[in-house]
Amino acid sequence: MKGSSMNTHLGNIVVDNEVIAQYAGSVAVECFGIVGMAGVNVKDGLVRLLKRDSITRGIAVSINNNKLILDFHVIVSYGVSILAVADNLVSNVKYKVEEFTGIEIEKINIFVEGVRVID
């Protein structure tokens, strides 16, 4: 199990990276302008919109010096400012994930993999 651990006066707490990715993904898809997470097929170079139950495949979680680094592969709505969407995503995810896990976020990388028109 890969995860981050915290030492407390009662013992160790280990949070699996999959749990962090699931929570961060659920926060991300609630952000304005985010259609969903993207799954990238490296072999074909194809990008597809991931369903809610496989959302974690669009997020990579790594740990550096007990700080989180999150990589998001997203699809954004057509006609919205990518900068505004990215700023909103970073601020929401940073606040909510740090509050949820108690672990500081060092960096959030956003990879816009596609644009979709929303009806």
Side-chain angles (χ1 to χ4, degrees):
M1 174 172 93
K2 287 172 51 175
S4 61
S5 64
M6 297 171 273
N7 295 324
T8 67
H9 67 282
L10 296 174
N12 289 337
I13 301 171
V14 178
V15 182
D16 192 322
N17 287 351
E18 187 76 15
V19 172
I20 296 170
Q22 184 70 43
Y23 186 75
S26 66
V27 170
V29 296
E30 293 174 358
C31 292
F32 170 76
I34 299 291
V35 175
M37 305 310 292
V40 181
N41 185 337
V42 178
K43 184 177 124 187
D44 300 333
L46 297 174
V47 175
R48 65 184 177 91
L49 184 64
L50 295 173
K51 294 185 169 119
R52 200 94 150 115
D53 56 346
S54 60
I55 203 166
T56 58
R57 287 192 292 170
I59 302 169
V61 177
S62 57
I63 298 162
N64 183 26
N65 296 330
N66 289 331
K67 294 181 183 178
L68 292 173
I69 298 172
L70 303 174
D71 293 339
F72 287 88
H73 296 270
V74 297
I75 296 175
V76 298
S77 298
Y78 177 79
V80 298
S81 166
I82 291 176
L83 182 60
V85 170
D87 283 345
N88 185 26
L89 177 67
V90 167
S91 63
N92 282 346
V93 167
K94 182 170 173 45
Y95 173 74
K96 289 184 178 179
V97 171
E98 284 182 348
E99 186 75 20
F100 177 68
T101 62
I103 304 166
E104 185 180 346
I105 293 180
E106 179 180 329
K107 190 187 301 185
I108 297 175
N109 300 309
I110 301 171
F111 302 93
V112 178
E113 302 290 353
V115 177
R116 290 269 171 103
V117 177
I118 303 297
D119 293 331

